[in-house]
Amino acid sequence: MNEGTASGLRVPVGRDAQRWVTRARCRRVLLVVHNVTSATRLLDVLPLMADDLRVQMLATCTGSSPFLAGMPELLGSLGLPVLPWEQAQATPVDLAISASYGGRLDLIQGDLAVLSHGVGYNKRLALPEPSPNGADGGHGSSGAKGVAPVFGLSPDWLLHHGRPLASATVLSHPEQMDRLRAACPEAVPTAVLAGDPCWDRILAARPYRARFRRALGVAPGQRLVVVSSTWSPRSLFGDGDAGEDRDELLPWLLRRLVGELPADEYRLAAVLHPNIWYGHGPGQLRAWLDRARRAGLTLIDPLEGWRQALIAADCVVGDHSSVTTYAAATGTPVLLGAFPEADLDPDSPVAGLGRTAPRLRQGGSLRAQLDRVMAEHRPERYAALADHISSAPGQSARLLRGLFYRLMDLPEPDDRPARLDRLPMPAFEPAERTAPVRALTRLVSEAPAEVAVTRYADPDFEPEDAAADAAYTVVHEDTQDPSRLSVADVILRYAAEDDPRYGPPATWTAETLARHRSCALAVYVGGPDHCTVRTRDGATFRLSAVPDADGRADLCDPAAYASALHLWLDLRRAPAEPPTTLLVTTGPTRHRVMVTRCG
C-alpha cells in the first residue's frame, strides 16, 4: 500500500503527483470497496485491465459498512495505491467500479459502474436511518410500508435526487432487467447485461473437480458435505431474531455432522459469509467451531477457497446465500437448513430455490436426510435456476471489459482476448482429527485378509447393533484432554517423517509406547497414504496404500489402516505375522494396503 500524508496519497494521484509519477498519461480506474464481501467481486474483474500500460488502478474504502474488519489487510494485499475515502471523492477518475451501493457514491468524480456482489439481486434490505446532515446521499424510501426494498433494484439505491447514480448498472440476466423496469424505470437506460464473472470462473473450473476434491483430502467413495451460510440472525449460522422463541438448529447440526457421520465415509467443510468472519472475528469463529474442527470439519477461507469447495461438494447444506444458489445451479444436491422467504424478492431466482429444494429437519438422523437427498437428486432439478444466473455464460470477461473500456473512452487491447483468472489450486488440506475417535472394527475375511473399519468422533452415535469384533479408542497426541491418552488403545500423530520435532517415526512410536503404558499401538502418519505402526511387543510395520490405476495415492486416512491392523493382530494373538496385503473397508470402499515389517 502506498504511503501518503494525513491528507492522502501524493503518488500516483495527489496535488503534485505529476512531479513524481513515471507514467503520467494513464486512465485512472478506482475500485470502490464497501467491505470484504464486495471486494470479492472486484477481485474477479481485476484481471480485465491487467497488462495494459495505459491504465492505473487505484482502490479506496468507503468506510460505510459495519463490517470493516479485514479491510486494511485485503487492500494491502492488492498492492494498489489506496486512497483515503476523502481523497477518493476529490480525485477525478475515468472509471469507478463498485460492487455495492454503500457510501456516498454520488460524490465520485467519474463514470461509475456497479456490479452485483452476489448471485444477482435477491435480498430485501432495510435502509439505514437518514442522518440529520443528509449523509444518506439523497436516498428516499420507495418500498411499501413495512416492506424493505430489494437491494440493487429499487430507487432507494439506484437514484440520487431522482437521477441514476451509476453510468452502468450491471445485470447478469434479462429477468433482472424486468424486475428493474418494474421497480425503477429511471435506471433502465443505465442497465447493461454483462453476465456473471463469479459464475464463469466456477464453470471454467468444473473440469478440475477431482483435483479440488483431492486438495481437500476427499478419499475414494467419501462424500464431501459443505455447510454454507450467509450472515444475519435468520441465516443457517444465525440464532434467530431477538425475542424469537425457537430451538437453535446450528448446535444440533454441528454435533450431528461431526458425530453421526462416519469419519471415513464423509468429509466435512464449512463456507461462511465474510460478514460472519469479519463481523464476529476470525478468532471467535474458530473458537465457536473448535470442537467441530477438532472432529474433522475444515473451515474454508472466505475469499479464495469457497468456489473450489463448492465444485468439489457432493451435497451442500445451506440457506439463501449465493453460495448455496451457485451450488444448486451446478447440479449439486442441496438441503436447506434455513430459508427466510420474507428476506427475499419473491420473484427472484433465489426465492424459487426455496420453493424447490428440500428442507433439513431438526431431529432424527442427519445421515439419513443427507443420503436421501443425494440418492434422489436429479441435476436437472435446478436447470431453470442455472439458466437465470447468467444469460451469457462464459462471456462476462468480454462483455465487462468492453463496458469498462467504453466508459474510459479507451480502445480495448487488440492483442489479447479478455480473460478472468482461473481458480487457483488450493493447498492440500486433509482432515486431521485431534478429537478422540472410536474405531469399530470387524474381520470380514481371513483369505484374503480384510477388515472393515467404521470410525466415529462421538461415541454417543455408535450404532448399538454394530457387528464389531472390537472397538478401539484412538487418541491424537495433541488431544485437548490429555487424560484421554491414559485410556487410549491407539495413540497417533500426523507429521512429516523428517519433522525434527517428532521424527523419525520409529523413535516417536517407541517413546510414545514407553510414555503411555496402557496404549497397545502407536501410529505415526507420515503422509497422506502411509503410516508407521509399532506394537506393544516392539514389532514395527509400515502401512502403505496401493495407488489406484492412474498412480494416484489413496487418500483414506492411514489411521484407519492402523485400526484394521490392530484388530488383525489382536485376533491372531501375535507373534503371528500380518498379511503382506490387507484389505481395509470403509463404508462402500475397499482399500488395498501393503504391510511391510520395518527393521
Side-chain angles (χ1 to χ4, degrees):
M1 187 186 303
N2 281 20
E3 294 295 331
T5 66
S7 59
L9 297 186
R10 295 180 62 189
V11 184
V13 297
R15 187 173 52 193
D16 55 350
Q18 292 301 309
R19 294 180 57 195
W20 311 111
V21 294
T22 299
R23 298 192 64 83
R25 292 182 292 168
C26 289
R27 297 290 204 275
R28 296 171 177 174
V29 176
L30 178 67
L31 304 179
V32 183
V33 182
H34 180 58
N35 53 27
V36 172
T37 307
S38 66
T40 59
R41 185 54 55 99
L42 298 180
L43 293 176
D44 282 336
V45 302
L46 262 180
L48 298 179
M49 288 162 286
D51 214 22
D52 192 335
L53 295 172
R54 302 168 299 169
V55 174
Q56 168 69 62
M57 289 186 284
L58 311 164
T60 189
C61 178
T62 62
S64 55
S65 173
F67 304 100
L68 291 178
M71 283 305 307
E73 295 82 1
L74 186 147
L75 290 173
S77 71
L78 296 180
L80 299 176
V82 178
L83 281 64
W85 178 231
E86 292 75 14
Q87 184 183 13
Q89 297 173 35
T91 300
V93 295
D94 298 282
L95 172 64
I97 309 173
S98 178
S100 173
Y101 285 94
R104 292 295 305 275
L105 301 183
D106 58 292
L107 298 179
I108 290 175
Q109 297 188 39
D111 284 319
L112 171 67
V114 180
L115 315 175
S116 165
H117 66 258
V119 56
Y121 301 90
N122 309 285
K123 293 184 180 180
R124 296 189 181 278
L125 187 64
L127 290 169
E129 291 293 329
S131 62
N133 60 4
D136 61 331
H139 296 303
S141 179
S142 64
K145 185 175 182 180
V147 178
V150 177
F151 182 71
L153 290 184
S154 75
D156 308 273
W157 310 105
L158 296 167
L159 304 182
H160 175 69
H161 296 313
R163 301 181 63 183
L165 184 66
S167 301
T169 303
V170 178
L171 310 177
S172 64
H173 194 277
E175 72 83 18
Q176 297 165 18
M177 184 79 79
D178 294 339
R179 289 190 287 136
L180 175 65
R181 187 175 291 109
C184 185
E186 299 93 333
V188 169
T190 71
V192 179
L193 286 169
D196 182 331
C198 179
W199 178 237
D200 284 354
R201 294 183 75 191
I202 291 172
L203 292 178
R206 289 179 71 185
Y208 304 101
R209 180 175 188 267
R211 295 183 186 178
F212 296 153
R213 289 173 67 82
R214 295 184 68 80
L216 284 166
V218 180
Q222 201 172 32
R223 289 171 160 179
L224 172 61
V225 178
V226 173
V227 178
S228 162
S229 179
T230 187
W231 66 284
S232 88
R234 293 176 296 282
S235 68
L236 178 58
F237 203 81
D239 56 3
D241 288 319
E244 184 180 4
D245 184 17
R246 72 168 192 181
D247 291 332
E248 256 201 85
L249 175 65
L250 186 64
W252 177 87
L253 175 61
L254 288 174
R255 186 172 183 222
R256 286 276 175 172
L257 277 170
V258 300
E260 183 186 348
L261 304 183
D264 300 299
E265 298 175 47
Y266 296 85
R267 177 76 172 93
L268 308 173
V271 173
L272 303 178
H273 195 283
N275 287 358
I276 301 176
W277 276 83
Y278 297 106
H280 294 281
Q284 178 63 74
L285 185 56
R286 295 187 185 98
W288 278 336
L289 296 176
D290 182 67
R291 182 168 65 175
R293 291 169 59 232
R294 289 177 179 274
L297 176 75
T298 294
L299 196 52
I300 303 296
D301 181 270
L303 286 180
E304 283 296 342
W306 68 268
R307 282 168 284 215
Q308 295 89 323
L310 199 65
I311 293 168
D314 293 291
C315 183
V316 170
V317 180
D319 55 14
H320 56 305
S321 69
S322 292
V323 176
T324 308
T325 305
Y326 282 129
T330 62
T332 301
V334 164
L335 188 61
L336 296 178
F339 205 87
E341 288 88 350
D343 290 1
L344 297 167
D345 181 351
D347 296 325
S348 68
V350 175
L353 173 64
R355 296 188 288 268
T356 307
R359 302 295 179 100
L360 176 66
R361 292 181 294 101
Q362 184 173 348
S365 168
L366 174 63
R367 181 180 184 180
Q369 294 184 66
L370 291 172
D371 288 350
R372 183 167 56 251
V373 165
M374 287 184 274
E376 297 176 355
H377 178 68
R378 299 293 177 269
E380 61 272 14
R381 178 175 198 164
Y382 304 117
L385 175 66
D387 289 343
H388 280 84
I389 287 182
S390 172
S391 58
Q395 299 298 314
S396 66
R398 176 180 61 82
L399 295 170
L400 285 170
R401 191 176 79 168
L403 169 66
F404 295 158
Y405 276 79
R406 285 196 302 275
L407 292 175
M408 286 190 287
D409 192 23
L410 189 66
E412 286 188 70
D414 57 9
D415 59 343
R416 59 191 177 278
R419 289 194 178 98
L420 304 171
D421 278 348
R422 297 172 62 181
L423 293 182
M425 183 59 59
F428 181 56
E429 191 175 9
E432 182 176 321
R433 295 171 182 83
T434 58
V437 171
R438 288 283 287 174
L440 310 185
T441 58
R442 176 174 57 86
L443 180 65
V444 177
S445 169
E446 293 191 15
E450 182 173 356
V451 175
V453 178
T454 307
R455 299 188 301 159
Y456 291 92
D458 188 335
D460 289 346
F461 290 101
E462 290 180 27
E464 295 181 359
D465 57 350
D469 293 314
Y472 302 118
T473 298
V474 183
V475 182
H476 194 290
E477 189 181 33
D478 289 342
T479 180
Q480 192 177 37
D481 181 3
S483 68
R484 299 298 299 272
L485 295 169
S486 64
V487 297
D489 301 299
V490 178
I491 296 176
L492 61 82
R493 154 72 59 195
Y494 294 85
E497 291 179 339
D498 61 353
D499 189 328
R501 299 170 300 169
Y502 308 112
T507 301
W508 179 89
T509 53
E511 291 176 348
T512 298
L513 290 175
R515 185 178 300 115
H516 303 285
R517 305 302 300 177
S518 63
C519 173
L521 213 68
V523 182
Y524 191 109
V525 180
D529 59 348
H530 65 271
C531 64
T532 299
V533 176
R534 183 185 292 269
T535 66
R536 175 55 61 184
D537 63 8
T540 305
F541 304 94
R542 182 181 176 89
L543 307 184
S544 304
V546 176
D548 65 18
D550 294 326
R552 293 187 174 93
D554 187 337
L555 296 181
C556 177
D557 185 354
Y561 306 154
S563 293
L565 179 65
H566 192 11
L567 175 70
W568 181 271
L569 295 175
D570 268 0
L571 294 179
R572 292 299 180 184
R573 299 284 189 264
E577 283 291 310
T580 56
T581 301
L582 180 62
L583 301 178
V584 181
T585 301
T586 58
T589 307
R590 177 183 287 177
H591 312 272
R592 291 176 57 84
V593 180
M594 301 299 296
V595 183
T596 307
R597 180 180 280 274
C598 301

